[in-house]
């Protein structure tokens, strides 16, 4: 197919494109009903970020949505933003920015193809089925051309799929590998079935933690769909503010985001909330994909032993097993997740840097980093909680 037939356009707002058009590329698998594989690239999620003021003017995330058309039909789209900082990305390039500016360059603004504040793997180059090659090619070439013409330092697509990373590398982008901790459902019938796969010591520790957590003097509920009410978001906002203040200095999402998400995405969310004496004291918010439960936010106003592990990790496993989901992605970082059944997993991103010398230095850095990440995953996996072949480990 002739690439010159494809027209690439930049949209400053998702209000300039219909949900049906965008989602025809973002989640074609949901066209006949059912869940999208990835709720975060849907029109409704990205629009909630935009309408709530979580992205846009003053946030450092300025929408520059990339779209590709063939004969007037949308064949590709990408959630792209002009960035004036590197916050909210989770595959960080702070050291790159420091080195670039120390050498006299201007690193910001840069272009970022990503879901803001969301370290969850999913497609970033959203292509209509049947247009995979021409669609991704148009999006990559269009993004690189936009970066070069506007003389921005770099272009980044983070938490893309491995297939996208490999295809991007063939187009000249630099492939970066990082790691997270994910829980995999090996067709467990229930939580006890999962525990049975663990070594005796780890199994006992998790049972002890769950017992401690549920002794906080209240009840824990998992709510989704019509069970979610506005007062739950009032409580969760208090939790989220506490976590945001400690981790980032200020929350990334605005209060209005949760109101909009309640109206447009209630079926896409599972809120685990702990109440004591009728008062919410802690909560963990998950988003639900077709195959994956995505753990996103946690917070509390009272501290109780092991309640964080219960709400964020063990209740997520319970929900995934009950819903027949394949995995739980528990967000960025956290080697403490290893002892709770979450194993190290590769994540991927692709990058373009305009300065040839700086790009060469980054390419060498990424080669070394990939080797180190691979070795770390191998070591951590060996220290995982699951039963080993050694009979002593299985007692």
């Amino acid at each position: 197919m002739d690439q010159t037939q494809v027209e690439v356009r930049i949209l400053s707002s998702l209000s300039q494109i219909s949900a049906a058009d965008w989602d025809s590329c973002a989640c074609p698998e949901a066209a006949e009903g059912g869940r999208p594989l990835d709720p975060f690239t849907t029109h409704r999620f990205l629009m909630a970020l935009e309408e709530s003021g979580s992205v846009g003017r003053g946030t450092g995330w300025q929408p520059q949505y990339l779209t590709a058309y063939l004969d007037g039909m949308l064949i590709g789209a990408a959630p792209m933003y002009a960035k004036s900082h590197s916050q909210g990305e989770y595959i960080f390039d702070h050291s790159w920015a420091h080195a670039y500016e120390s050498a006299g360059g201007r690193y910001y603004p840069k272009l970022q193809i990503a879901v803001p504040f969301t370290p969850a793997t999913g497609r970033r180059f959203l292509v209509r089925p049947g247009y995979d090659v021409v669609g991704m090619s148009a999006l990559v070439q269009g993004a690189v051309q936009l970066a070069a013409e506007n003389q921005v330092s770099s272009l980044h697509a983070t938490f893309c799929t491995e297939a996208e990373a490999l295809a991007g590398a063939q187009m000249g982008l630099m492939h970066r590998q990082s790691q997270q901790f994910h829980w995999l459902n090996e067709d467990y019938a229930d939580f006890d079935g999962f525990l049975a796969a663990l070594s005796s010591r780890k199994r006992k520790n998790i049972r002890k933690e769950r017992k401690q957590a549920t002794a906080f003097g209240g009840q824990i509920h998992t709510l989704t769909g019509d069970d979610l009410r506005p007062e739950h978001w009032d409580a969760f906002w208090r939790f989220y503010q506490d976590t945001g203040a400690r981790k980032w200095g200020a929350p990334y999402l605005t209060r209005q985001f949760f109101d909009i998400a309640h109206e447009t995405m209630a079926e896409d969310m599972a809120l685990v909330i702990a109440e004591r004496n009728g008062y919410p004291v802690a909560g963990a918010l998950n988003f639900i994909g077709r195959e994956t439960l995505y753990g996103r936010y946690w917070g509390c106003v009272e501290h109780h032993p092991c309640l964080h592990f219960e709400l964020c990790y063990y209740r997520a496993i319970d929900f995934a097993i009950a819903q027949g989901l394949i995995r739980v992605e528990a967000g960025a970082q956290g080697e403490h997740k290893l002892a709770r059944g979450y194993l190290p997993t590769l994540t991927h991103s692709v990058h373009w840097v305009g300065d040839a010398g700086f790009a060469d230095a980054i390419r060498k850095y990424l080669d070394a980093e990939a080797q180190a990440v691979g070795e770390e995953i191998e070591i951590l996996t060996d220290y995982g909680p699951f039963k080993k072949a050694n009979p002593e480990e299985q007692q």
Side-chain angles (χ1 to χ4, degrees):
M1 188 176 295
D2 186 357
Q3 184 69 43
T4 60
Q5 296 175 330
V6 179
E7 180 187 2
V8 175
R9 306 175 195 167
I10 302 297
L11 307 180
S12 60
S13 170
L14 274 192
S15 63
Q16 296 169 330
I17 187 172
S18 71
D21 254 7
W22 180 273
D23 287 346
S24 69
C25 295
C27 53
E29 68 279 357
E32 301 300 324
R35 299 189 185 280
L37 283 170
D38 175 6
F40 302 116
T41 54
T42 61
H43 191 278
R44 58 184 177 272
F45 182 85
L46 296 173
M47 197 66 188
L49 292 178
E50 191 179 327
E51 289 184 330
S52 67
S54 300
V55 301
R57 186 182 300 275
T59 67
W61 290 83
Q62 192 62 38
Q64 298 282 289
Y65 305 110
L66 191 65
T67 58
Y69 293 83
L70 180 64
D71 296 330
M73 180 179 69
L74 183 74
I75 64 166
M80 189 167 72
Y81 301 83
K83 292 294 306 293
S84 59
H85 54 64
S86 291
Q87 271 66 56
E89 295 170 12
Y90 301 97
I91 293 179
F92 291 118
D93 59 350
H94 297 300
S95 60
W96 301 4
H98 178 73
Y100 198 85
E101 293 181 354
S102 294
R106 183 185 177 198
Y107 195 72
Y108 303 107
K110 62 177 183 175
L111 292 178
Q112 192 87 18
I113 295 175
V115 178
F117 332 121
T118 307
T121 293
R123 291 189 306 129
R124 296 294 174 260
F125 300 95
L126 313 173
V127 178
R128 182 184 291 271
Y131 296 87
D132 296 20
V133 174
V134 68
M136 181 164 180
S137 178
L139 292 171
V140 170
Q141 290 182 33
V144 169
Q145 183 177 345
L146 185 70
E149 288 178 350
N150 287 275
Q151 298 182 326
V152 300
S153 68
S154 53
L155 163 72
H156 313 263
T158 45
F159 292 102
C160 62
T161 66
E162 182 179 14
E164 287 178 321
L166 295 175
Q170 290 183 333
M171 298 179 200
L173 302 180
M174 294 181 286
H175 181 190
R176 187 178 192 183
Q177 298 181 63
S178 306
Q179 74 163 20
Q180 286 183 340
F181 292 87
H182 298 172
W183 179 85
L184 299 179
N185 187 356
E186 301 291 350
D187 294 324
Y188 301 119
D190 51 28
F191 196 91
D192 283 339
F194 157 62
L195 288 181
L198 305 182
S199 67
S200 174
R201 184 167 59 89
K202 298 297 185 183
R203 185 165 58 246
K204 290 177 182 177
N205 185 65
I206 288 176
R207 284 178 173 151
K208 180 181 177 181
E209 287 184 345
R210 297 205 80 177
K211 186 176 180 180
Q212 284 183 296
T214 53
F216 77 102
Q219 300 81 39
I220 300 173
H221 309 283
T222 300
L223 308 171
T224 189
D226 292 338
D227 292 332
L228 290 166
R229 299 189 301 274
E231 56 264 33
H232 293 131
W233 300 118
D234 291 334
F236 190 76
W237 175 245
R238 293 194 296 273
F239 308 150
Y240 176 69
Q241 280 185 300
D242 176 70
T243 301
R246 286 185 289 105
K247 284 191 173 183
W248 315 304
Y252 289 137
L253 300 174
T254 66
R255 175 64 183 85
Q256 191 182 9
F257 171 84
F258 297 98
D259 291 333
I260 295 172
H262 177 77
E263 295 298 324
T264 62
M265 301 192 69
E267 297 295 336
D268 299 309
M269 297 184 290
L271 177 63
V272 185
I273 197 159
E275 296 181 348
R276 193 168 67 87
N277 299 324
Y279 181 74
V281 298
L285 179 60
N286 306 274
F287 283 80
I288 311 166
R290 180 169 290 208
E291 299 176 347
T292 304
L293 184 70
Y294 301 92
R296 288 305 305 115
Y297 303 107
W298 143 268
C300 65
V301 292
E302 293 182 4
H303 294 276
H304 297 277
C306 300
L307 195 59
H308 171 254
F309 300 145
E310 178 68 20
L311 268 60
C312 291
Y313 307 138
Y314 302 142
R315 293 289 167 140
I317 291 173
D318 280 334
F319 187 90
I321 292 173
Q323 298 296 317
L325 301 176
I326 294 174
R327 69 181 63 81
V328 178
E329 291 193 20
Q333 304 171 339
E335 290 187 7
H336 61 279
K337 298 168 186 172
L338 186 67
R340 286 146 193 108
Y342 291 72
L343 293 178
T345 305
L346 277 177
T347 59
H348 304 271
S349 58
V350 288
H351 309 264
W352 172 90
V353 174
D355 184 273
F358 193 63
D360 186 56
I362 289 178
R363 190 173 288 106
K364 292 175 181 176
Y365 167 82
L366 294 182
D367 288 342
E369 184 184 47
Q371 182 175 344
V373 168
E375 291 172 354
E376 184 176 13
I377 286 179
E378 186 176 349
I379 293 169
L380 289 173
T381 300
D382 191 53
Y383 277 97
F386 292 89
K387 291 177 180 177
K388 307 295 192 298
N390 186 338
E392 292 181 2
E393 288 285 338
Q394 300 184 38
Q395 293 178 359

